[in-house]
Amino acid sequence: EPEVTQTPSHQVTQMGQEVILRCVPISNHLYFYWYRQILGQKVEFLVSFYNNEISEKSEIFDDQFSVERPDGSNFTLKIRSTKLEDSAMYFCASSEGWAGPGEQFFGPGTRLTVL
Amino acid sequence: QKEVEQNSGPLSVPEGAIASLNCTYSDRGSQSFFWYRQYSGKSPELIMFIYSNGDKEDGRFTAQLNKASQYVSLLIRDSQPSDSATYLCAVFGDTGRRALTFGSGTRLQVQP
C-alpha cells in the first residue's frame, strides 16, 4: 500500500541552525501539507502546497519557514534559524484531490530537537 | 477561532465493549470530519471520514455526524486491547480550505 515517507526520523540541531525536513508524498497525490505536534499538544497545521505554490499557511508558518518541491517526488520543509520552541514532531501529509472529503494521509514524522 | 473539542480521557472500557468517542466543533461552515488514531510516538492514522448527517459504518467503526448540534462521534464495537490509543477528531473548514483543525484527542484504554 502506498505511503508517505519522511526523513530523517530524528533530527537534533543547535539553536540558530538551519534544518531541512524531507518528505516523499504518495505518488499520485497532488496536495501536500506540513503539520507539527509539540509534545503533549494538538496536531497543528503549518502549510498546504499545490501546483508548486503555497495554498494556505497558518500563523505559525512565518518567514523562518519555507517549503519546496525540488523535484517530482520530494517535498521539503526548511526552518532557517531554529528556535527552542521549534522542537516538535513534524508530519508531512498528502491527499489525492481537491474535490470531495480530501482524506489526508500522514507520514511517520520527523522528531526535531533544538538544543 | 475555530475550535475542535474532545474529552481528553482516559476512557476505559473492557475488551469486547463498545467505546464511544465524542467531538464538538465551533465552525458551522465545516464540511468534512475525520477520525484519526494515534499511538504514542507515532503519526496520525486515518480511520474514517464523514461529511453527511447520519451514520457511516466501516467494519467495527461507526462515525456519526449531527451538523445541527455540531457534534461528531466515533463508536468502536468489540473493542480490542490493540485499539488502545489516542483518537483525534479533525475538521475541514469552509469549502476551499484544506487545513485540518485537530482536537486534542481522547485517550482510549481497552482493558483485557
Side-chain angles (χ1 to χ4, degrees):
Chain A
E1 186 171 326
E3 58 184 19
V4 177
T5 60
Q6 290 185 243
T7 54
S9 57
H10 191 186
Q11 174 92 46
V12 181
T13 190
Q14 295 290 326
M15 189 170 55
Q17 295 297 303
E18 176 183 285
V19 295
I20 297 176
L21 310 183
R22 291 181 167 78
C23 168
V24 178
I26 294 172
S27 62
N28 64 332
H29 285 188
L30 301 177
Y31 301 90
F32 316 123
Y33 316 85
W34 284 100
Y35 292 83
R36 78 173 187 190
Q37 187 175 31
I38 295 170
L39 186 65
Q41 298 188 23
K42 296 181 182 183
V43 176
E44 300 174 290
F45 169 75
L46 293 178
V47 65
S48 61
F49 190 88
Y50 169 69
N51 199 25
N52 283 319
E53 61 183 23
I54 290 174
S55 299
E56 295 174 71
K57 57 183 181 180
S58 72
E59 58 275 9
I60 302 169
F61 194 88
D62 61 21
D63 292 344
Q64 292 299 313
F65 292 90
S66 62
V67 290
E68 191 179 30
R69 187 152 164 84
D71 54 43
S73 59
N74 290 284
F75 179 51
T76 62
L77 174 70
K78 181 192 289 186
I79 309 175
R80 289 191 183 82
S81 178
T82 51
K83 306 182 185 71
L84 295 176
E85 54 265 36
D86 294 328
S87 295
M89 282 288 285
Y90 287 81
F91 297 113
C92 174
S94 68
S95 64
E96 185 174 6
W98 194 259
E103 307 98 286
Q104 296 181 17
F105 296 91
F106 282 67
T110 294
R111 180 174 300 281
L112 177 64
T113 302
V114 182
L115 303 177
Chain B
Q1 182 76 4
K2 297 172 183 176
E3 298 287 342
V4 178
E5 299 291 339
Q6 295 181 257
N7 188 319
S8 61
L11 173 66
S12 185
V13 301
E15 184 175 353
I18 296 175
S20 177
L21 305 160
N22 305 314
C23 171
T24 59
Y25 58 95
S26 63
D27 181 12
R28 284 197 172 273
S30 298
Q31 299 291 314
S32 309
F33 308 87
F34 301 82
W35 284 100
Y36 286 83
R37 177 173 61 196
Q38 187 176 33
Y39 293 108
S40 182
K42 302 296 186 182
S43 63
E45 175 192 4
L46 182 64
I47 298 173
M48 62 189 305
F49 66 88
I50 187 168
Y51 53 92
S52 298
N53 276 327
D55 294 1
K56 179 181 178 183
E57 186 174 317
D58 184 359
R60 295 188 297 114
F61 300 98
T62 298
Q64 299 174 317
L65 174 62
N66 183 325
K67 288 188 177 180
S69 300
Q70 296 176 241
Y71 178 91
V72 58
S73 65
L74 180 70
L75 301 178
I76 307 174
R77 288 181 298 281
D78 188 23
S79 295
Q80 301 297 310
S82 58
D83 294 327
S84 298
T86 297
Y87 288 80
L88 307 178
C89 174
V91 174
F92 251 175
D94 298 336
T95 302
R97 295 197 67 244
R98 306 303 286 176
L100 285 172
T101 300
F102 281 84
S104 56
T106 298
R107 189 156 63 93
L108 173 65
Q109 293 177 339
V110 181
Q111 305 295 335

